[in-house]
Amino acid sequence: MRERGRAIKAVLFQVHSIAGLVLALLLAVIALTGAVMSFEDEIVDHLNADIMRVASRPAPMLMPDEVVARLKAAEIGQVSAVTLSSDPSAAVRLRFARDEQGARPSSLYVDPYDARVLGTPRGEEFFATVRKLHRWLLIPGDAKGWGRQITGVAALGLIVMLVSGLVLRWPRRASSAKMWLKPNLGLGGRGLHRSLHVVIGTWVLPVYLVMTLTGLWYSFDWYKDGVVWLLSRPQVAPAKMQPKIPTKAPRAAGRAEPAQPIGFDRAWSNFLHDEGGRFSRALLTLPAGAGTVIRIRSWGKDSTLDTTRDEFRVDAVTGQLVSAERYADKTFGEEIIANLLDIHRGAILGWPGKLAFMIAAALMPLFAVTGILLYLSRRRLRRPSQPPLGRLVPGE
């Protein structure tokens, strides 16, 4: 029985070592970019405090279509989304559609009273690039390219390393907290490398498991479908973003009817009528295709997380509510799905959680370096020693 256990551990050791050598650099890049984004919201808000606020005044705020119309006169770009607030001193944020080359212009902050451009948010392009590197490794195609599958495979490999590392480290005296959690800094060389690798690895193992299990949601559709099947109610079906366009008149054969431009005003007016003053801010997004349904994401005044939001879909032509998903109506499993991003980055635990997850992510290069050093030292130990030339005898 003991021999079988040794054989299993030997196999796990080889799997752990090979996976670590193959994925070390990739995991370090993914983890470090994640650490950089940990406090993105706070950093961006601090950098742009001067353009995110305006002086409130008794004049009525402009409707979103009027804001867009005044910007179109300046030929800034095609607006795809507008962020509005119930706070009369908050600026309006405009986001733009991609151009013909696939690039997306930087967003703008605009005065809600006169559509005066306040500026482009500083740090936005930097964090957008870091996010692309974190999620898709800057591989062309973004979410539709191979990058998301590669990061997903890296996450699966990290799970294998975490489980195998825990099994390999499991001692005979598993209750010894000192042995589990205290690194021996008095050692040197290989002993110190191993102590840092296994002890600090034990500290961050729960955090890495949470990161990988939630990160896989963004890499594989089969994983996402499985999580939805497991945690959500069977009768809850995802609402369609693009319903069929109603046919108003028969089209001539071989002639495509031009798409009618749609605006934000009707959907926004109906949202204000239904929600009143219960929201703090709302993001209105135009349909990407030829549909007429506008998506509205709404955050309540007591919301502390970006993922605790309500979501509505409103027909921009008729103003009719197509669907509504309120956070308060979700089951516990559906709340987990809604909060996956904040769980992934530790924000579900507030700023201490974000700090803990950031430190854990920043420690990933430590395991890459110590793992490689341990591998090289094992290679040196296994290498047969060569006797000095003076001690060789004929035939050797």
Side-chain angles (χ1 to χ4, degrees):
M1 191 68 179
R2 183 176 298 179
E3 292 298 326
R4 180 181 299 178
R6 289 178 179 175
I8 293 174
K9 283 196 171 185
V11 173
L12 288 177
F13 183 78
Q14 292 298 324
V15 171
H16 185 90
S17 300
I18 294 173
L21 290 172
V22 172
L23 300 175
L25 179 59
L26 180 58
L27 288 173
V29 170
I30 295 173
L32 286 176
T33 50
V36 170
M37 294 189 296
S38 294
F39 288 92
E40 174 185 355
D41 296 337
E42 291 81 357
I43 294 172
V44 171
D45 289 349
H46 177 73
L47 291 175
N48 300 286
D50 57 331
I51 64 173
M52 294 174 64
R53 312 291 296 179
V54 298
S56 60
R57 39 196 187 269
M61 290 187 288
L62 299 174
M63 293 293 285
D65 284 348
E66 178 63 21
V67 174
V68 173
R70 295 193 184 188
L71 288 178
K72 280 185 177 179
E75 299 182 354
I76 293 179
Q78 180 64 41
V79 175
S80 63
V82 179
T83 301
L84 303 162
S85 175
S86 61
D87 183 355
S89 62
V92 175
R93 185 177 184 180
L94 303 178
R95 298 179 182 177
F96 299 92
R98 296 185 183 277
D99 56 25
E100 296 178 354
Q101 289 73 35
R104 189 187 299 276
S106 298
S107 59
L108 289 177
Y109 280 102
V110 178
D111 192 311
Y113 297 96
D114 56 15
R116 177 174 55 91
V117 175
L118 301 175
T120 298
R122 291 178 286 272
E124 182 182 64
E125 293 186 4
F126 168 77
F127 282 109
T129 302
V130 173
R131 189 175 299 105
K132 289 181 179 180
L133 179 58
H134 179 75
R135 293 181 176 179
W136 311 307
L137 305 175
L138 298 180
I139 295 177
D142 292 347
K144 297 180 180 179
W146 286 99
R148 63 192 292 257
Q149 282 80 21
I150 295 175
T151 56
V153 170
L156 291 173
L158 180 57
I159 293 177
V160 171
M161 285 189 288
L162 293 174
V163 174
S164 60
L166 181 62
V167 173
L168 290 169
R169 206 201 163 195
W170 199 269
R172 295 180 179 179
R173 294 184 299 154
S175 60
S176 174
K178 178 180 178 181
M179 186 274 303
W180 276 100
L181 302 176
K182 183 180 180 181
N184 191 345
L185 301 180
L187 298 175
R190 175 180 171 80
L192 177 61
H193 301 155
R194 185 182 185 280
S195 180
L196 293 174
H197 192 85
V198 300
V199 174
I200 299 179
T202 303
W203 293 354
V204 300
L205 186 145
V207 175
Y208 285 173
L209 275 178
V210 172
M211 286 179 175
T212 52
L213 292 175
T214 52
L216 287 171
W217 169 275
Y218 302 98
S219 293
F220 300 115
D221 292 333
W222 57 265
Y223 185 87
K224 179 185 293 187
D225 294 340
V227 172
V228 171
W229 173 83
L230 181 65
L231 297 180
S232 65
R233 290 167 290 177
Q235 66 271 24
V236 177
K240 298 292 184 182
M241 182 64 182
Q242 305 292 344
K244 293 182 179 179
I245 304 174
T247 303
K248 297 182 179 179
R251 298 182 180 181
R255 182 181 300 174
E257 183 179 333
Q260 297 296 323
I262 63 174
F264 297 97
D265 281 2
R266 190 178 293 271
W268 178 238
S269 297
N270 281 271
F271 172 79
L272 289 177
H273 179 269
D274 295 338
E275 293 300 301
R278 290 193 296 268
F279 77 100
S280 63
R281 61 187 174 98
L283 170 64
L284 286 68
T285 305
L286 291 176
T292 61
V293 172
I294 290 179
R295 182 182 65 191
I296 302 179
R297 288 178 172 174
S298 169
W299 290 264
K301 292 183 177 180
D302 58 346
S303 176
T304 57
L305 296 175
D306 185 66
T307 50
T308 55
R309 63 187 180 228
D310 300 329
E311 188 161 319
F312 309 92
R313 287 174 170 81
V314 182
D315 191 290
V317 177
T318 65
Q320 181 181 2
L321 180 67
V322 177
S323 67
E325 294 182 18
R326 294 190 179 274
Y327 185 82
D329 297 334
K330 296 181 182 293
T331 64
F332 178 71
E334 290 162 359
E335 288 182 1
I336 292 177
I337 294 176
N339 289 312
L340 272 178
L341 178 59
D342 283 326
I343 296 173
H344 179 70
R345 58 182 185 169
I348 197 74
L349 302 175
W351 73 263
K354 294 172 71 171
L355 180 62
F357 275 51
M358 182 190 73
I359 294 174
L363 286 172
M364 181 62 76
L366 171 69
F367 304 110
V369 171
T370 55
I372 292 174
L373 291 175
L374 287 171
Y375 170 78
L376 295 176
S377 64
R378 286 195 304 273
R379 296 268 299 182
R380 286 195 297 269
L381 290 173
R382 291 174 182 174
R383 188 179 304 161
S385 58
Q386 298 293 333
L389 292 177
R391 297 184 182 179
L392 291 178
V393 296
E396 289 186 328

